[in-house]
């Protein structure tokens, strides 16, 4: 009898530990929210987006499935999108008023609330990796402009000439926008202007949540404008006690509404569901006149992919490898 | 009888309206938190701080008392401290690794959640006024480095040579710090190194809350480091629905814990008292290894001036003109 009791106890503990591990892994990515409409898309371009989103999320998921940390999953998923000219991050980022690319990224580790970010880099090939290096190899959270580039060079992070990032598509966008108005006093959601910020949130087998976001900002930006992406609490946040969030949208409104942390705070302080919390925060963004979207996972792996724009490039893979990839509203 | 009833009703409404106005105005300021100990202070220096704190808070209070907006009260109170070499903001700001001054500031309007900030300016005489101009005269929230200076020049905001800000005291601090270690991998709370970030929160006769923060950052900073001050949600936040907060301390920890908005979120989502909320958020800062302080007012004018360092330069004036000025722990 005693033996049976020990056996059953062991079985119970074993199955609990399996269950707690098995339920945990998950990854979600976004490739930007904006006025993404089916009527403006060719089947070829749509297909390119679907393929690249799948490549990015599978890259991250495979790391998690092999027991790797959420940090690596988020970094590698984002690097796939930074290296693709389809998204407004890394290669193919939008251009500033003076026809350069200026890159921002941030990363947060939900285990210890450590974080790193860069703003206004001209030369860092993969901004998300530099954000992680700021977290791990400097006492700071946010490095900017030439300083961020100097840091990257000092730490041996890959840098490239600014021309590496520039694509004909973005140069044309900028020049047609400049014909409308030479300074960036516009609603950044100009006709056909898409926000291609990229981001990822993952939870690993140990329950550690990581979140990362990377962008080229808004087309035609001037005055060293910094948006929400490198701002912890606005465009990015992770905390194992509640959730990880990556945002995309009209950055100024995401800063003013502290969107990423506002979602976390609703979970922390009133036990709100992550989807409802996301909707509430996006309603606040709408109330101040902005729009955009968020992705995230709570500590139980529940996913959010909410947006109040026409579309958002997004994908999710759950613990069992079920995959969802979408562009438009359901 | 009916006449008496009408008379009493009118009197009641009149006294309510007086009371709702009368109870509202208030202002609080800080001149930085850190290892401020009586044994390291001369009576003359202590007196200089007390006089300057009183000048700053009375400047703001007089504006409120005359029915002026909290925006003006916060701006003018902070300008007094920026113009004084006693504080780490404007004249007398600490020096970067390359012996320059680099200034950050932010402002938020609690009525409409509008906000403006600058980071890494070299030439703006009064950074708090530039932060307000970013809010009012640009579509952006945060402008950085040369871009922030270009914006200021374009808008006719006072600029000065970088040497205008540099004091012998800060040059000596930097040079002795460089002798210890040539790069800024240090705990920024080095022996005798004070954080002199300045800030103010005010509520005006219309119940509008404003918050502002201004700083030179940390001594010996490199790589274009941006701290919590220009980050809405970290070093500054205002929302008429809950409170206004200005923070001072080890900026990286204030970013990671989204301190200013974390205090607001506790009030919004679980109706926490502003003093308890401040203590809770500072406990989080301590848990990640940082320290510092916050000042703030809730929508009823209740004040918070909490810190977990040795001291914080601080002052408060309530609706009736009662004044509190303190440096050390009670």
């Amino acid at each position: 009898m005693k033996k049976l009791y020990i056996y059953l106890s062991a079985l119970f503990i074993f199955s609990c530990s399996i269950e707690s591990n098995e339920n945990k892994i998950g990854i979600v990515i976004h490739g930007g929210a904006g006025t993404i409409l089916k009527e403006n898309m060719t089947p070829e371009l749509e297909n390119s987006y679907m393929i690249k989103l799948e490549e990015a999320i599978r890259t991250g998921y495979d790391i998690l499935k092999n027991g790797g940390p959420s940090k690596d999953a988020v970094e590698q998923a984002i690097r796939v999108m930074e290296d693709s000219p389809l998204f407004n991050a890394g290669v193919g980022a939008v251009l500033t008023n003076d026809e350069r690319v200026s890159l921002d990224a941030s990363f947060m580790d939900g285990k210890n609330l450590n974080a790193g970010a860069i703003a206004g880099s001209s030369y860092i090939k993969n901004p998300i990796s530099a954000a992680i290096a700021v977290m791990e190899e400097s006492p700071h959270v946010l490095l900017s402009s030439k300083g961020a580039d100097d840091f990257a060079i000092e730490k041996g992070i890959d840098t490239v000439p600014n021309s590496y990032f520039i694509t004909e598509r973005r140069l044309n966008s900028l020049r047609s926008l400049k014909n409308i108005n030479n300074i960036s006093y516009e609603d950044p959601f100009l006709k056909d202007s898409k926000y291609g910020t990229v981001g990822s949130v993952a939870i690993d087998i140990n329950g550690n949540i990581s979140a990362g976001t990377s962008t080229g900002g808004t087309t035609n930006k001037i005055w060293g404008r910094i948006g929400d992406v490198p701002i912890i609490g606005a465009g990015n946040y992770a905390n194992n006690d509640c959730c990880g969030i990556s945002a995309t949208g009209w950055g100024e409104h995401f800063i003013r509404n502290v969107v990423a942390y506002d979602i976390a705070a609703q979970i922390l302080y009133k036990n709100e569901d992550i989807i409802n919390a996301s909707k509430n925060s996006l309603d606040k963004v709408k109330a101040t006149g902005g729009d955009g979207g968020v992705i995230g996972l709570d500590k139980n792996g529940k996913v959010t992919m909410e947006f109040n724009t026409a579309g958002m490039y997004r994908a999710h893979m759950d613990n069992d490898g079920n995959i969802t990839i979408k562009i438009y509203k359901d």
Side-chain angles (χ1 to χ4, degrees), chain A:
Chain A
M1 185 62 194
K2 197 179 166 192
K3 227 172 183 173
L4 180 68
Y5 175 76
I6 292 170
Y7 172 76
L8 285 173
S9 298
L11 191 71
F12 176 74
I13 291 165
F14 180 66
S15 60
C16 280
S17 78
I18 283 183
E19 198 179 12
S20 74
N21 284 345
E22 285 291 309
N23 278 336
K24 277 195 167 160
I25 76 164
I27 182 165
V28 56
I29 61 172
H30 69 78
T35 52
I36 306 161
L37 295 166
K38 204 170 175 71
E39 55 262 37
N40 298 334
M41 188 79 87
T42 62
E44 294 72 27
L45 188 59
E46 187 177 303
N47 195 40
S48 303
Y49 275 109
M50 297 297 281
I51 289 170
K52 195 49 78 174
L53 287 168
E54 181 164 354
E55 181 191 337
I57 199 156
R58 286 201 185 278
T59 300
Y61 182 80
D62 288 349
I63 292 167
L64 298 171
K65 197 68 192 170
N66 291 322
S70 57
K71 185 185 82 173
D72 295 356
V74 162
E75 180 183 10
Q76 297 305 324
I78 289 178
R79 283 179 69 114
V80 169
M81 293 185 280
E82 286 178 341
D83 290 342
S84 161
L86 291 169
F87 305 98
N88 176 17
V91 180
V94 300
L95 304 189
T96 61
N97 183 267
D98 56 354
E99 301 196 352
R100 294 173 60 79
V101 160
S102 169
L103 303 166
D104 306 338
S106 61
F107 180 87
M108 190 159 185
D109 180 338
K111 186 174 60 196
N112 50 22
L113 306 182
N114 224 333
I118 57 155
S121 162
S122 296
Y123 306 115
I124 296 169
K125 185 171 174 282
N126 287 104
I128 189 65
S129 300
I132 292 172
V134 171
M135 178 181 83
E136 294 181 339
E137 300 177 48
S138 92
H140 301 307
V141 170
L142 176 53
L143 303 182
S144 66
S145 312
K146 186 178 172 298
D149 288 325
D150 289 347
F151 168 82
I153 291 163
E154 195 173 318
K155 298 297 172 189
I157 292 166
D158 280 354
T159 50
V160 289
N162 198 265
S163 58
Y164 165 85
F165 303 109
I166 298 177
T167 58
E168 200 182 331
R169 172 190 175 200
R170 301 299 191 187
L171 204 55
N172 291 339
S173 295
L174 175 70
R175 289 180 181 169
S176 51
L177 188 57
K178 278 187 170 177
N179 284 338
I180 304 171
N181 189 333
N182 196 39
I183 45 170
S184 148
Y185 276 146
E186 307 299 320
D187 172 337
F189 277 99
L190 277 163
K191 194 158 63 81
D192 293 320
S193 145
K194 290 175 202 70
Y195 269 4
T197 300
V198 306
S200 176
V201 176
I203 183 164
D204 63 30
I205 202 166
N206 296 311
N208 288 325
I209 303 173
S210 294
T213 312
S214 179
T215 192
T218 55
T219 302
N220 203 21
K221 69 182 175 186
I222 52 170
W223 299 321
R225 176 255 188 194
I226 297 177
D228 63 318
V229 168
I231 309 288
I232 299 301
N236 203 54
Y237 185 74
N239 181 343
N240 285 3
D241 291 341
C242 51
C243 65
I245 297 290
S246 171
T248 168
W250 191 344
E252 278 70 14
H253 294 276
F254 281 69
I255 295 176
R256 289 166 59 189
N257 292 289
V258 202
V259 169
Y261 188 66
D262 186 53
I263 295 169
Q266 291 175 65
I267 299 173
L268 283 171
Y269 297 135
K270 54 176 198 172
N271 204 24
E272 186 60 272
D273 168 83
I274 192 169
I275 295 174
N276 290 336
S278 303
K279 288 177 176 169
N280 294 339
S281 296
L282 289 172
D283 284 348
K284 292 185 183 185
V285 167
K286 200 166 187 184
T288 60
D291 52 7
V294 296
I295 56 159
L297 294 169
D298 73 10
K299 62 182 177 178
N300 304 310
K302 182 167 183 179
V303 68
T304 181
M305 295 191 284
E306 294 296 317
F307 54 99
N308 56 16
T309 49
M312 178 168 76
Y313 302 105
R314 61 200 187 278
H316 172 233
M317 283 184 83
D318 68 12
N319 186 66
D320 302 323
N322 298 312
I323 188 165
T324 308
I325 310 179
K326 290 186 175 180
I327 297 179
Y328 316 106
K329 279 196 194 291
D330 291 326

